Amino acid sequence: MSKRRYDGTLLLAVMAELGQGRIESGFIHDKSGKLLMDGFCDGKRVAVSEIIQTVDTICHELLHRRFPHWSEPYIRNRTTYLLRRMTEAQIQAVYDEFQRRAVKRKSIMFPE
Ligand SMILES: [Zn+2]
């Protein structure tokens, strides 16, 4: 694996913050009930939409396989379209099915 030399300062900062805790993972809603896709930091707490992030990637890659002629931008467009219309229960169901079906490997070679 080729990586640029890096002194680790920024990673150390991230790990120090990770060690502070006050991190949450779950479905994130705004006041109107709209589901947020990424995460947030309110200065104290950090929250990550872990399941949605994973399901976004799953849907994106599965759409590539199902519609190999679709362009990358169109796949992104359709993935966002789909995710914004899925209920929490549907997102959770895709995530659960992924957890059941995915072969977990330590390392996967990216195809040339
Ligand atoms: Zn893609």
Side-chain angles (χ1 to χ4, degrees), residues 41-87:
C41 171
D42 65 6
K44 294 175 184 156
R45 254 184 330 160
V46 165
V48 177
S49 271
E50 183 184 3
I51 292 176
I52 293 182
Q53 287 295 299
T54 302
V55 169
D56 183 85
T57 303
I58 294 162
C59 290
H60 178 106
E61 301 308 337
L62 291 175
L63 287 173
H64 269 304
R65 189 164 73 184
R66 186 79 171 84
F67 304 104
H69 57 288
W70 284 5
S71 69
E72 181 63 23
Y74 192 62
I75 292 277
R76 285 194 194 135
N77 173 294
R78 292 298 82 188
T79 302
T80 301
Y81 175 93
L82 176 61
L83 263 288
R84 285 190 179 148
R85 283 158 185 79
M86 286 168 75
T87 64

